[in-house]
Each structure stands twice: as structure tokens, then as C-alpha cells.
Coordinates of all heavy atoms in Angstrom, one line a residue:
M1 N 0.0 -13.6 -10.7 CA 0.7 -12.4 -11.0 C 0.1 -11.7 -12.2 O 0.1 -10.5 -12.4 CB 2.2 -12.6 -11.0 CG 2.9 -11.2 -11.2 SD 4.4 -11.0 -10.4 CE 5.5 -12.0 -11.3
E2 N -0.3 -12.5 -13.2 CA -0.9 -12.0 -14.5 C -2.1 -11.3 -14.3 O -2.3 -10.2 -14.8 CB -1.2 -13.2 -15.4 CG -1.7 -12.8 -16.7 CD -2.0 -14.0 -17.6 OE1 -1.1 -14.9 -17.6 OE2 -3.0 -14.0 -18.3
T3 N -3.0 -11.6 -13.3 CA -4.1 -10.8 -12.9 C -3.8 -9.5 -12.3 O -4.4 -8.4 -12.6 CB -4.9 -11.7 -11.9 OG1 -5.3 -12.9 -12.4 CG2 -6.2 -11.0 -11.6
F4 N -2.7 -9.5 -11.5 CA -2.3 -8.2 -10.9 C -1.8 -7.2 -12.0 O -2.3 -6.0 -12.0 CB -1.1 -8.5 -9.8 CG -0.6 -7.2 -9.2 CD1 -1.3 -6.8 -8.2 CD2 0.6 -6.7 -9.6 CE1 -0.9 -5.5 -7.6 CE2 1.0 -5.5 -9.0 CZ 0.3 -4.8 -8.0
E5 N -1.0 -7.8 -12.9 CA -0.5 -6.9 -14.0 C -1.6 -6.4 -14.8 O -1.7 -5.2 -15.2 CB 0.5 -7.7 -14.9 CG 1.8 -8.2 -14.2 CD 2.6 -7.1 -13.8 OE1 2.7 -6.0 -14.6 OE2 3.4 -7.1 -12.7
K6 N -2.7 -7.2 -15.1 CA -3.8 -6.8 -15.9 C -4.6 -5.7 -15.2 O -5.0 -4.7 -15.7 CB -4.8 -8.0 -16.1 CG -5.9 -7.6 -17.0 CD -6.7 -8.9 -17.3 CE -7.9 -8.5 -18.2 NZ -8.7 -9.7 -18.5
L7 N -4.7 -5.9 -13.8 CA -5.4 -4.9 -13.0 C -4.7 -3.5 -13.0 O -5.4 -2.5 -13.3 CB -5.5 -5.4 -11.5 CG -6.3 -4.5 -10.6 CD1 -7.7 -4.3 -10.9 CD2 -6.2 -5.0 -9.2
I8 N -3.4 -3.5 -12.7 CA -2.7 -2.2 -12.7 C -2.6 -1.5 -14.1 O -2.3 -0.4 -14.0 CB -1.3 -2.3 -11.9 CG1 -0.2 -3.2 -12.7 CG2 -1.5 -2.8 -10.5 CD1 1.1 -3.1 -12.2
N9 N -2.6 -2.4 -15.1 CA -2.6 -1.7 -16.5 C -4.0 -1.3 -17.1 O -4.1 -0.8 -18.0 CB -1.9 -2.7 -17.4 CG -0.4 -2.8 -17.2 OD1 0.2 -1.8 -17.3 ND2 0.1 -3.9 -16.8
G10 N -5.0 -1.5 -16.1 CA -6.4 -1.1 -16.6 C -6.6 0.3 -16.6 O -5.7 1.2 -16.3
E11 N -7.7 0.8 -16.9 CA -8.2 2.2 -17.0 C -8.2 2.9 -15.6 O -8.0 4.2 -15.5 CB -9.5 2.4 -17.7 CG -9.3 2.0 -19.3 CD -10.6 2.1 -20.0 OE1 -11.6 2.9 -19.4 OE2 -10.7 1.6 -21.0
K12 N -8.6 2.1 -14.5 CA -8.9 2.8 -13.3 C -7.5 2.9 -12.5 O -6.5 2.1 -12.8 CB -9.8 2.0 -12.5 CG -11.2 2.1 -12.8 CD -12.1 1.4 -11.8 CE -13.5 1.5 -12.1 NZ -14.3 0.9 -11.0
C13 N -7.5 3.9 -11.7 CA -6.3 4.0 -10.8 C -6.4 2.7 -9.7 O -7.6 2.2 -9.4 CB -6.4 5.2 -9.8 SG -6.0 6.7 -10.7
V14 N -5.2 2.2 -9.3 CA -5.3 1.1 -8.4 C -4.4 1.5 -7.2 O -3.2 1.8 -7.4 CB -4.7 -0.2 -9.1 CG1 -4.8 -1.3 -8.1 CG2 -5.5 -0.5 -10.3
L15 N -5.0 1.5 -6.1 CA -4.2 1.8 -4.8 C -3.9 0.4 -4.1 O -4.8 -0.4 -3.8 CB -5.1 2.6 -3.9 CG -4.4 2.8 -2.4 CD1 -3.1 3.6 -2.6 CD2 -5.3 3.5 -1.6
V16 N -2.7 0.0 -4.1 CA -2.3 -1.3 -3.6 C -1.6 -1.0 -2.2 O -0.8 -0.2 -2.0 CB -1.3 -1.9 -4.5 CG1 -0.8 -3.3 -3.9 CG2 -1.7 -2.1 -5.9
N17 N -2.1 -1.8 -1.2 CA -1.7 -1.8 0.1 C -0.9 -3.1 0.3 O -1.5 -4.2 0.5 CB -2.9 -1.8 1.1 CG -2.6 -1.8 2.5 OD1 -1.4 -2.0 2.9 ND2 -3.6 -2.0 3.5
F18 N 0.4 -3.1 0.4 CA 1.2 -4.1 0.6 C 1.4 -4.2 2.2 O 1.9 -3.3 2.8 CB 2.7 -3.9 0.1 CG 2.8 -4.1 -1.5 CD1 2.6 -3.0 -2.3 CD2 2.9 -5.4 -2.1 CE1 2.6 -3.1 -3.6 CE2 2.9 -5.4 -3.5 CZ 2.8 -4.3 -4.3
H19 N 0.9 -5.4 2.7 CA 0.8 -5.4 4.2 C 1.1 -6.9 4.6 O 1.3 -7.8 3.8 CB -0.8 -5.2 4.6 CG -1.7 -6.3 4.2 ND1 -2.1 -7.2 5.2 CD2 -2.1 -6.6 3.0 CE1 -2.8 -8.1 4.5 NE2 -2.9 -7.7 3.3
T20 N 1.1 -7.1 6.0 CA 1.2 -8.4 6.5 C 0.2 -8.5 7.5 O -0.3 -7.5 8.2 CB 2.7 -8.5 7.3 OG1 2.7 -7.7 8.4 CG2 3.7 -8.3 6.4
N21 N -0.2 -9.7 7.9 CA -1.2 -10.0 8.9 C -0.7 -9.7 10.4 O -1.6 -9.5 11.2 CB -1.8 -11.4 8.8 CG -2.5 -11.6 7.5 OD1 -3.2 -10.7 7.0 ND2 -2.5 -12.8 6.9
W22 N 0.5 -9.7 10.6 CA 1.0 -9.6 11.9 C 1.5 -8.1 12.3 O 2.0 -7.8 13.3 CB 2.2 -10.6 12.1 CG 3.2 -10.5 11.1 CD1 3.3 -11.4 9.9 CD2 4.2 -9.5 10.8 NE1 4.3 -11.0 9.1 CE2 5.0 -9.8 9.6 CE3 4.8 -8.4 11.5 CZ2 6.0 -9.2 9.1 CZ3 5.8 -7.7 11.0 CH2 6.6 -8.1 9.8
C23 N 1.3 -7.2 11.4 CA 1.7 -5.8 11.5 C 0.5 -5.0 12.0 O -0.5 -4.8 11.4 CB 2.1 -5.3 10.1 SG 2.1 -3.5 9.9
D24 N 0.8 -4.3 13.2 CA -0.2 -3.6 13.9 C -0.6 -2.3 13.1 O -1.8 -2.0 12.8 CB 0.2 -3.1 15.3 CG 0.0 -4.4 16.2 OD1 -0.7 -5.3 16.0 OD2 0.7 -4.4 17.3
P25 N 0.3 -1.6 12.6 CA -0.1 -0.5 11.6 C -0.8 -0.8 10.4 O -1.8 -0.1 10.0 CB 1.4 0.2 11.2 CG 2.3 -0.2 12.3 CD 1.8 -1.6 12.8
C26 N -0.6 -2.0 9.9 CA -1.4 -2.5 8.8 C -2.8 -2.8 9.2 O -3.7 -2.4 8.5 CB -0.7 -3.9 8.3 SG 0.9 -3.8 7.7
K27 N -3.0 -3.3 10.4 CA -4.3 -3.5 10.9 C -5.1 -2.3 11.1 O -6.3 -2.2 10.9 CB -4.2 -4.3 12.1 CG -3.7 -5.7 12.0 CD -3.6 -6.5 13.4 CE -2.9 -7.8 13.2 NZ -2.6 -8.4 14.5
M28 N -4.3 -1.2 11.5 CA -5.0 0.1 11.7 C -5.5 0.6 10.3 O -6.5 1.4 10.4 CB -4.0 1.1 12.3 CG -3.5 0.8 13.7 SD -2.2 1.9 14.3 CE -2.6 3.5 13.8
M29 N -4.8 0.3 9.2 CA -5.2 0.8 8.0 C -6.3 0.0 7.3 O -7.0 0.6 6.4 CB -4.0 0.9 7.0 CG -2.9 1.7 7.3 SD -3.4 3.5 7.4 CE -4.0 3.7 5.8
D30 N -6.8 -1.2 7.8 CA -7.8 -2.0 7.4 C -9.1 -1.2 7.2 O -9.7 -1.1 6.0 CB -8.0 -3.2 8.0 CG -6.9 -4.2 7.7 OD1 -6.2 -4.1 6.7 OD2 -6.8 -5.3 8.4
P31 N -9.7 -0.5 8.2 CA -11.0 0.2 8.0 C -10.9 1.4 7.1 O -11.8 1.6 6.4 CB -11.3 0.5 9.5 CG -10.1 0.3 10.3 CD -9.2 -0.6 9.7
I32 N -9.7 2.0 7.1 CA -9.5 3.1 6.2 C -9.5 2.7 4.7 O -10.3 3.2 3.8 CB -8.3 3.9 6.4 CG1 -8.4 4.6 7.8 CG2 -7.9 4.9 5.3 CD1 -7.1 5.1 8.3
M33 N -8.9 1.6 4.4 CA -8.9 1.0 3.1 C -10.3 0.5 2.7 O -10.6 0.7 1.6 CB -7.9 -0.2 3.0 CG -6.4 0.2 3.3 SD -5.8 1.4 2.2 CE -5.7 0.5 0.7
D34 N -11.0 0.0 3.6 CA -12.3 -0.5 3.3 C -13.2 0.7 3.0 O -14.1 0.7 2.0 CB -13.0 -1.1 4.5 CG -12.4 -2.6 4.6 OD1 -11.6 -3.1 3.7 OD2 -12.5 -3.1 5.7
Q35 N -13.1 1.9 3.6 CA -13.8 3.0 3.4 C -13.5 3.6 2.0 O -14.4 4.0 1.3 CB -13.6 4.1 4.5 CG -14.2 3.9 5.8 CD -13.7 4.8 6.8 OE1 -13.1 5.9 6.6 NE2 -14.1 4.7 8.1
I36 N -12.3 3.7 1.7 CA -11.8 4.3 0.4 C -12.3 3.4 -0.6 O -12.9 3.8 -1.7 CB -10.2 4.3 0.3 CG1 -9.9 5.4 1.3 CG2 -9.8 4.6 -1.0 CD1 -8.3 5.6 1.5
D37 N -12.3 2.0 -0.5 CA -12.8 1.0 -1.5 C -14.3 1.5 -1.8 O -14.7 1.5 -3.0 CB -12.6 -0.3 -1.0 CG -12.9 -1.3 -2.1 OD1 -12.6 -1.0 -3.2 OD2 -13.4 -2.4 -1.8
R38 N -15.2 1.6 -0.8 CA -16.5 1.9 -0.9 C -16.8 3.3 -1.5 O -17.8 3.6 -2.3 CB -17.2 1.8 0.5 CG -17.6 0.5 0.9 CD -18.4 0.5 2.1 NE -18.0 1.3 3.2 CZ -17.2 1.0 4.2 NH1 -16.6 -0.2 4.2 NH2 -16.9 1.9 5.1
E39 N -16.0 4.3 -1.1 CA -16.2 5.7 -1.5 C -15.5 6.2 -2.7 O -15.9 7.2 -3.3 CB -15.7 6.6 -0.3 CG -16.6 6.4 1.0 CD -15.9 7.1 2.1 OE1 -14.9 7.8 2.0 OE2 -16.4 6.8 3.3
Q40 N -14.6 5.5 -3.4 CA -13.9 5.8 -4.5 C -14.3 4.8 -5.7 O -13.4 4.0 -6.0 CB -12.4 5.8 -4.2 CG -12.0 6.9 -3.2 CD -12.3 8.3 -3.7 OE1 -11.9 8.7 -4.8 NE2 -12.8 9.1 -2.8
P41 N -15.4 5.1 -6.4 CA -15.7 4.2 -7.4 C -14.8 4.2 -8.7 O -14.9 3.3 -9.5 CB -17.1 4.6 -7.9 CG -17.2 6.1 -7.4 CD -16.3 6.2 -6.2
N42 N -14.0 5.2 -8.8 CA -13.1 5.3 -9.9 C -11.7 4.8 -9.7 O -10.7 4.9 -10.5 CB -13.0 6.8 -10.4 CG -14.2 7.4 -10.9 OD1 -15.0 6.6 -11.6 ND2 -14.6 8.6 -10.6
A43 N -11.6 4.0 -8.6 CA -10.3 3.3 -8.3 C -10.6 2.1 -7.7 O -11.7 1.8 -7.0 CB -9.5 4.2 -7.3
H44 N -9.6 1.2 -7.9 CA -9.5 -0.1 -7.1 C -8.7 -0.1 -6.0 O -7.7 0.7 -6.0 CB -9.0 -1.2 -8.2 CG -9.8 -1.6 -9.4 ND1 -11.1 -2.1 -9.3 CD2 -9.6 -1.3 -10.7 CE1 -11.6 -2.3 -10.4 NE2 -10.7 -1.8 -11.3
V45 N -9.1 -0.7 -5.0 CA -8.3 -0.8 -3.8 C -7.9 -2.4 -3.6 O -8.8 -3.1 -3.5 CB -9.0 -0.3 -2.5 CG1 -8.2 -0.5 -1.2 CG2 -9.4 1.2 -2.7
V46 N -6.6 -2.6 -3.5 CA -6.2 -4.0 -3.4 C -5.2 -4.2 -2.2 O -4.3 -3.3 -2.1 CB -5.4 -4.4 -4.7 CG1 -4.9 -5.8 -4.7 CG2 -6.2 -4.2 -6.0
K47 N -5.4 -5.3 -1.5 CA -4.5 -5.5 -0.4 C -3.6 -6.7 -0.9 O -4.2 -7.8 -1.3 CB -5.2 -6.0 0.9 CG -5.9 -4.8 1.4 CD -6.7 -5.1 2.8 CE -5.9 -5.8 3.7 NZ -6.7 -6.2 5.0
I48 N -2.4 -6.7 -0.7 CA -1.4 -7.8 -1.1 C -0.8 -8.1 0.2 O 0.0 -7.3 0.8 CB -0.4 -7.3 -2.1 CG1 -1.1 -6.8 -3.5 CG2 0.7 -8.3 -2.4 CD1 -1.7 -7.9 -4.3
D49 N -0.9 -9.3 0.7 CA -0.2 -9.9 1.8 C 1.3 -10.3 1.3 O 1.4 -11.2 0.5 CB -0.9 -11.1 2.3 CG -0.3 -11.7 3.6 OD1 1.0 -11.6 3.7 OD2 -1.0 -12.1 4.4
V50 N 2.3 -9.6 1.8 CA 3.6 -9.8 1.3 C 4.1 -11.3 1.7 O 5.0 -11.7 1.0 CB 4.6 -8.7 1.8 CG1 4.1 -7.4 1.2 CG2 4.7 -8.6 3.3
D51 N 3.6 -11.8 2.8 CA 4.1 -13.1 3.2 C 3.6 -14.2 2.1 O 4.2 -15.2 2.0 CB 3.6 -13.6 4.5 CG 4.2 -12.7 5.6 OD1 5.5 -12.3 5.5 OD2 3.6 -12.4 6.7
E52 N 2.4 -13.9 1.5 CA 1.8 -14.8 0.5 C 2.3 -14.5 -0.9 O 2.3 -15.4 -1.8 CB 0.4 -14.7 0.6 CG -0.2 -15.3 1.8 CD -1.8 -15.2 1.9 OE1 -2.3 -14.9 0.9 OE2 -2.3 -15.4 3.0
H53 N 2.7 -13.2 -1.2 CA 3.1 -12.8 -2.5 C 4.4 -12.2 -2.4 O 4.7 -11.1 -2.8 CB 2.0 -11.8 -3.0 CG 0.6 -12.5 -3.1 ND1 0.3 -13.2 -4.0 CD2 -0.3 -12.3 -2.2 CE1 -1.0 -13.8 -3.8 NE2 -1.4 -13.1 -2.8
R54 N 5.4 -12.9 -2.1 CA 6.9 -12.6 -2.0 C 7.4 -12.1 -3.3 O 8.2 -11.0 -3.3 CB 7.6 -13.7 -1.4 CG 7.4 -14.1 -0.1 CD 8.4 -15.1 0.5 NE 7.9 -15.5 1.8 CZ 8.2 -14.9 3.0 NH1 8.8 -13.8 3.0 NH2 7.7 -15.4 4.1
I55 N 7.0 -12.6 -4.4 CA 7.6 -12.1 -5.8 C 7.1 -10.7 -6.0 O 8.0 -9.9 -6.4 CB 7.2 -13.1 -6.8 CG1 7.9 -14.4 -6.7 CG2 7.6 -12.5 -8.2 CD1 7.5 -15.6 -7.6
L56 N 5.8 -10.5 -5.8 CA 5.4 -9.1 -6.0 C 6.0 -8.1 -5.1 O 6.4 -7.0 -5.5 CB 3.8 -9.0 -5.8 CG 3.0 -9.3 -7.0 CD1 1.5 -9.3 -6.6 CD2 3.3 -8.5 -8.1
S57 N 6.2 -8.5 -3.8 CA 6.8 -7.6 -2.8 C 8.2 -7.4 -3.2 O 8.8 -6.1 -3.0 CB 6.7 -8.1 -1.4 OG 7.4 -9.2 -1.3
Q58 N 8.9 -8.3 -3.7 CA 10.5 -8.1 -4.2 C 10.4 -7.3 -5.5 O 11.3 -6.4 -5.6 CB 11.0 -9.4 -4.5 CG 11.3 -10.3 -3.2 CD 11.8 -11.6 -3.4 OE1 11.8 -12.2 -4.6 NE2 12.2 -12.4 -2.4
Q59 N 9.4 -7.5 -6.3 CA 9.5 -6.7 -7.5 C 9.2 -5.3 -7.2 O 9.8 -4.4 -8.0 CB 8.2 -7.3 -8.4 CG 8.0 -6.5 -9.7 CD 6.8 -7.0 -10.5 OE1 6.2 -8.1 -10.2 NE2 6.4 -6.3 -11.5
F60 N 8.5 -4.9 -6.4 CA 8.2 -3.5 -6.0 C 9.0 -3.0 -4.8 O 8.8 -1.8 -4.4 CB 6.8 -3.2 -5.8 CG 6.0 -3.5 -7.0 CD1 5.2 -4.6 -7.2 CD2 6.0 -2.5 -8.0 CE1 4.4 -4.8 -8.3 CE2 5.2 -2.7 -9.2 CZ 4.5 -3.9 -9.4
G61 N 10.0 -3.7 -4.3 CA 11.0 -3.3 -3.4 C 10.3 -3.0 -2.0 O 10.7 -2.0 -1.3
I62 N 9.4 -3.7 -1.6 CA 8.7 -3.6 -0.3 C 9.7 -3.9 0.8 O 9.9 -5.1 0.9 CB 7.4 -4.3 -0.3 CG1 6.5 -4.0 -1.6 CG2 6.6 -4.0 1.0 CD1 6.2 -2.5 -1.7
K63 N 9.9 -3.0 1.6 CA 10.8 -3.3 2.8 C 10.2 -3.0 4.1 O 10.7 -3.3 5.2 CB 12.2 -2.5 2.6 CG 12.9 -3.1 1.4 CD 14.2 -2.4 1.4 CE 15.1 -2.7 0.2 NZ 14.8 -3.7 -0.7
S64 N 9.2 -2.2 4.2 CA 8.4 -1.9 5.4 C 6.9 -1.9 5.1 O 6.4 -1.7 4.0 CB 8.7 -0.3 5.8 OG 8.5 0.6 4.8
F65 N 6.1 -2.1 6.2 CA 4.7 -2.3 6.1 C 3.9 -1.3 7.0 O 4.4 -0.9 8.1 CB 4.4 -3.8 6.6 CG 5.4 -4.7 6.1 CD1 6.4 -5.3 7.0 CD2 5.4 -5.0 4.7 CE1 7.3 -6.2 6.5 CE2 6.4 -6.0 4.3 CZ 7.4 -6.6 5.1
P66 N 2.8 -0.9 6.5 CA 2.3 -1.1 5.2 C 3.0 -0.1 4.2 O 3.6 0.8 4.6 CB 0.8 -0.6 5.3 CG 0.8 0.3 6.4 CD 1.8 -0.1 7.4
T67 N 3.0 -0.5 3.0 CA 3.5 0.4 1.8 C 2.4 0.4 0.8 O 1.8 -0.6 0.5 CB 4.8 -0.3 1.2 OG1 5.9 -0.2 2.1 CG2 5.1 0.6 0.0
F68 N 2.1 1.7 0.4 CA 1.0 2.0 -0.4 C 1.6 2.4 -1.9 O 2.5 3.2 -1.8 CB 0.0 3.1 0.1 CG -0.5 2.7 1.3 CD1 0.1 3.1 2.6 CD2 -1.7 1.9 1.5 CE1 -0.5 2.8 3.9 CE2 -2.2 1.6 2.7 CZ -1.6 2.0 3.9
I69 N 1.2 1.8 -2.9 CA 1.6 2.3 -4.2 C 0.4 2.5 -5.0 O -0.6 1.7 -5.1 CB 2.4 1.2 -4.8 CG1 3.7 0.9 -4.1 CG2 2.8 1.8 -6.3 CD1 4.7 -0.1 -4.6
L70 N 0.2 3.8 -5.6 CA -0.9 4.0 -6.5 C -0.4 4.0 -7.9 O 0.5 4.4 -8.3 CB -1.4 5.5 -6.2 CG -2.6 6.0 -6.9 CD1 -3.8 5.2 -6.7 CD2 -2.8 7.5 -6.7
F71 N -1.2 3.2 -8.7 CA -0.8 2.9 -10.0 C -1.8 3.6 -11.0 O -3.0 3.6 -10.7 CB -0.8 1.4 -10.4 CG 0.2 0.6 -9.8 CD1 0.1 0.0 -8.5 CD2 1.5 0.4 -10.4 CE1 1.0 -0.7 -7.9 CE2 2.5 -0.4 -9.8 CZ 2.2 -0.9 -8.5
K72 N -1.3 4.2 -12.0 CA -2.2 4.7 -13.1 C -1.6 4.2 -14.5 O -0.4 4.5 -14.7 CB -2.1 6.3 -13.1 CG -2.8 7.0 -14.1 CD -4.3 7.0 -13.8 CE -5.0 7.7 -15.0 NZ -6.4 8.0 -14.7
N73 N -2.4 3.5 -15.3 CA -2.0 3.0 -16.5 C -0.8 2.2 -16.4 O 0.2 2.4 -17.2 CB -1.8 4.2 -17.5 CG -3.0 4.9 -17.8 OD1 -4.1 4.4 -17.9 ND2 -3.0 6.3 -17.9
G74 N -0.6 1.5 -15.4 CA 0.5 0.5 -15.2 C 1.8 1.1 -14.6 O 2.8 0.4 -14.3
E75 N 1.8 2.3 -14.3 CA 2.9 3.0 -13.8 C 2.7 3.5 -12.3 O 1.6 3.9 -11.9 CB 3.3 4.3 -14.5 CG 3.8 4.1 -15.9 CD 4.3 5.3 -16.5 OE1 4.9 6.1 -15.8 OE2 4.1 5.5 -17.7
A76 N 3.7 3.3 -11.4 CA 3.6 3.6 -10.0 C 3.7 5.1 -10.0 O 4.8 5.7 -10.3 CB 4.6 3.0 -9.2
V77 N 2.6 5.9 -9.6 CA 2.6 7.3 -9.6 C 2.8 8.0 -8.3 O 3.0 9.1 -8.0 CB 1.4 7.9 -10.4 CG1 1.4 7.6 -11.8 CG2 0.1 7.4 -9.7
W78 N 2.6 7.2 -7.2 CA 2.7 7.7 -5.9 C 3.1 6.4 -4.9 O 2.6 5.4 -5.2 CB 1.5 8.4 -5.4 CG 1.4 8.9 -4.1 CD1 1.8 10.1 -3.6 CD2 0.9 8.3 -2.9 NE1 1.7 10.3 -2.2 CE2 1.0 9.1 -1.8 CE3 0.2 7.0 -2.7 CZ2 0.6 8.8 -0.5 CZ3 -0.1 6.7 -1.4 CH2 0.0 7.6 -0.3
R79 N 3.8 6.7 -3.8 CA 4.2 5.6 -2.9 C 4.5 6.2 -1.6 O 5.1 7.3 -1.5 CB 5.5 4.9 -3.5 CG 6.0 3.8 -2.7 CD 7.3 3.3 -3.3 NE 7.8 2.2 -2.5 CZ 8.1 1.0 -2.9 NH1 8.1 0.7 -4.2 NH2 8.6 0.1 -2.1
R80 N 4.0 5.5 -0.6 CA 4.3 6.0 0.8 C 4.3 4.7 1.7 O 3.4 3.9 1.5 CB 3.2 7.0 1.2 CG 3.3 7.4 2.6 CD 4.0 8.6 2.9 NE 3.8 9.8 2.0 CZ 2.9 10.9 2.1 NH1 2.0 10.8 3.0 NH2 3.0 11.7 1.2
S81 N 5.1 4.6 2.7 CA 5.2 3.6 3.7 C 4.7 4.1 5.0 O 4.9 5.3 5.3 CB 6.7 3.0 3.8 OG 6.9 2.4 2.6
G82 N 4.1 3.3 5.8 CA 3.7 3.5 7.2 C 2.3 3.9 7.1 O 1.6 3.9 6.2
V83 N 1.8 4.3 8.3 CA 0.3 4.7 8.5 C 0.1 5.9 7.7 O 0.9 7.0 7.7 CB -0.1 4.8 9.9 CG1 -1.5 5.5 10.0 CG2 0.0 3.6 10.6
V84 N -0.8 6.1 6.8 CA -1.3 7.3 6.0 C -2.7 7.6 6.3 O -3.6 6.6 6.2 CB -1.1 7.0 4.6 CG1 -1.3 8.2 3.6 CG2 0.3 6.5 4.2
D85 N -3.0 8.9 6.5 CA -4.4 9.2 6.8 C -5.2 9.1 5.6 O -4.7 9.3 4.5 CB -4.3 10.6 7.4 CG -3.9 11.7 6.4 OD1 -2.7 12.0 6.5 OD2 -4.8 12.4 5.8
K86 N -6.6 9.0 5.8 CA -7.4 8.8 4.7 C -7.4 10.0 3.8 O -7.5 9.8 2.5 CB -8.9 8.6 5.3 CG -9.9 8.4 4.3 CD -11.4 8.3 4.8 CE -12.4 8.2 3.8 NZ -13.7 8.2 4.5
A87 N -7.4 11.2 4.3 CA -7.5 12.3 3.4 C -6.3 12.3 2.5 O -6.5 12.7 1.3 CB -7.4 13.7 4.3
T88 N -5.1 11.9 2.8 CA -4.0 11.9 1.9 C -4.2 10.9 0.8 O -3.9 11.2 -0.4 CB -2.7 11.5 2.7 OG1 -2.5 12.6 3.7 CG2 -1.5 11.5 1.7
L89 N -4.6 9.8 1.2 CA -4.9 8.7 0.2 C -6.0 9.1 -0.8 O -5.8 9.0 -2.0 CB -5.3 7.3 0.8 CG -4.3 6.6 1.7 CD1 -4.9 5.6 2.5 CD2 -3.2 6.2 0.9
V90 N -7.1 9.7 -0.3 CA -8.1 10.2 -1.3 C -7.6 11.3 -2.1 O -7.9 11.3 -3.3 CB -9.3 10.7 -0.4 CG1 -10.4 11.3 -1.3 CG2 -10.0 9.3 0.2
R91 N -6.8 12.2 -1.6 CA -6.3 13.3 -2.5 C -5.4 12.7 -3.6 O -5.5 13.2 -4.6 CB -5.5 14.2 -1.5 CG -4.9 15.4 -2.3 CD -4.1 16.3 -1.5 NE -3.0 15.8 -0.9 CZ -2.7 15.5 0.4 NH1 -3.5 15.9 1.4 NH2 -1.5 14.9 0.8
E92 N -4.5 11.7 -3.3 CA -3.7 11.2 -4.3 C -4.5 10.4 -5.3 O -4.1 10.6 -6.5 CB -2.6 10.3 -3.6 CG -1.6 11.0 -2.8 CD -0.9 12.1 -3.4 OE1 -0.6 12.0 -4.6 OE2 -0.7 13.1 -2.8
I93 N -5.5 9.8 -4.9 CA -6.5 9.1 -5.9 C -7.0 10.1 -6.8 O -7.1 10.1 -8.0 CB -7.4 8.2 -5.3 CG1 -6.8 7.0 -4.6 CG2 -8.5 7.7 -6.2 CD1 -7.6 6.1 -3.7
T94 N -7.7 11.1 -6.1 CA -8.4 12.2 -6.8 C -7.6 13.0 -7.9 O -8.0 13.3 -9.0 CB -9.1 13.1 -5.8 OG1 -9.8 12.4 -4.9 CG2 -9.9 14.1 -6.5
R95 N -6.3 13.2 -7.5 CA -5.4 13.8 -8.4 C -5.2 13.2 -9.7 O -4.9 13.8 -10.7 CB -4.1 14.1 -7.7 CG -4.0 15.2 -6.6 CD -2.8 15.2 -6.0 NE -1.7 15.6 -7.0 CZ -0.4 15.4 -6.9 NH1 0.0 15.0 -5.7 NH2 0.5 15.8 -7.8
R96 N -5.3 11.8 -9.7 CA -5.1 11.1 -10.8 C -6.2 10.6 -11.6 O -6.1 10.1 -12.6 CB -4.2 9.7 -10.5 CG -2.7 10.0 -10.4 CD -2.3 10.4 -9.1 NE -0.9 10.6 -9.1 CZ -0.4 11.2 -7.9 NH1 -1.2 11.5 -7.0 NH2 0.9 11.4 -7.9
V97 N -7.3 10.7 -11.0 CA -8.7 10.3 -11.7 C -9.0 11.2 -12.7 O -9.4 10.7 -13.8 CB -9.7 10.0 -10.7 CG1 -11.1 9.8 -11.4 CG2 -9.4 8.8 -9.8
G98 N -9.0 12.5 -12.5 CA -9.4 13.5 -13.4 C -8.8 13.6 -14.6 O -8.3 13.2 -15.5

């Protein structure tokens, strides 16, 4: 958890995807998250399996999957649950990078 805290408190924006391996909408988001990770050098993209990291999921009140939280300087600046299109995710990252 210390590494996660260090990451979200860093200089780059961090898009966190709280997911499960058994969730079909989560699986649908995998290729989109991979694309964003490659195409957005000013942001980190992180996947957190809520079954493996229950404390983090409880800390951030994760109740549905997938849930995306965008962090900037350690603060959650945007949050959305469910399938989210790539354009929305990129727009939210871009708004905070500049």
C-alpha cells in the first residue's frame, strides 16, 4: 500500500482501474486501458484487483466494477463506475495534465 500512496502522490496523474478478474465489463476495459497507458505518457495507468487488494478497495469505497479514479497530487479529482469510453478517460486525464 505504501507504493500505491507514493504513486498517487507523485507528479503525474494516475488513472486507477479498480476491477475484478470475473467481471465482464472489467474485461471489456482492458484493451482501452492498455491503449491509454501507451498513448498518455504524462499519466500512469494502474489496475487494482479488488479481490487481492481489499483494504485499498475499502479505503476508496469501491462497490461496483470497474471503478475508475483519477488522482492528481494525491487527491481523487474524478471518479466513475462502469464501462467508460476511451475519449472520456483521455479527456479527463488531459484536463488535469496541463
Side-chain angles (χ1 to χ4, degrees):
M1 184 140 80
E2 183 178 317
T3 303
F4 181 78
E5 294 294 326
K6 185 176 179 181
L7 180 65
I8 65 171
N9 284 300
E11 292 182 17
K12 285 188 176 184
C13 285
V14 181
L15 177 62
V16 181
N17 174 4
F18 289 92
H19 73 101
T20 68
N21 290 326
W22 46 264
C23 161
D24 287 335
C26 298
K27 292 175 188 175
M28 289 173 48
M29 292 303 301
D30 283 344
I32 294 170
M33 297 302 290
D34 291 341
Q35 289 174 1
I36 291 172
D37 191 32
R38 286 191 308 272
E39 297 169 3
Q40 297 295 314
N42 294 322
H44 292 292
V45 175
V46 178
K47 287 176 56 176
I48 301 289
D49 185 324
V50 298
D51 292 326
E52 294 178 14
H53 301 280
R54 292 186 188 276
I55 293 172
L56 275 178
S57 64
Q58 290 173 352
Q59 179 181 346
F60 292 102
I62 306 303
K63 296 187 183 341
S64 59
F65 318 108
T67 293
F68 302 93
I69 302 177
L70 183 62
F71 292 91
K72 175 78 178 195
N73 299 321
E75 291 187 39
V77 294
W78 179 84
R79 180 181 180 131
R80 175 96 39 96
S81 294
V83 174
V84 180
D85 63 273
K86 179 182 173 186
T88 299
L89 293 168
V90 169
R91 181 180 66 241
E92 294 302 326
I93 292 169
T94 304
R95 286 179 57 200
R96 273 91 180 171
V97 170

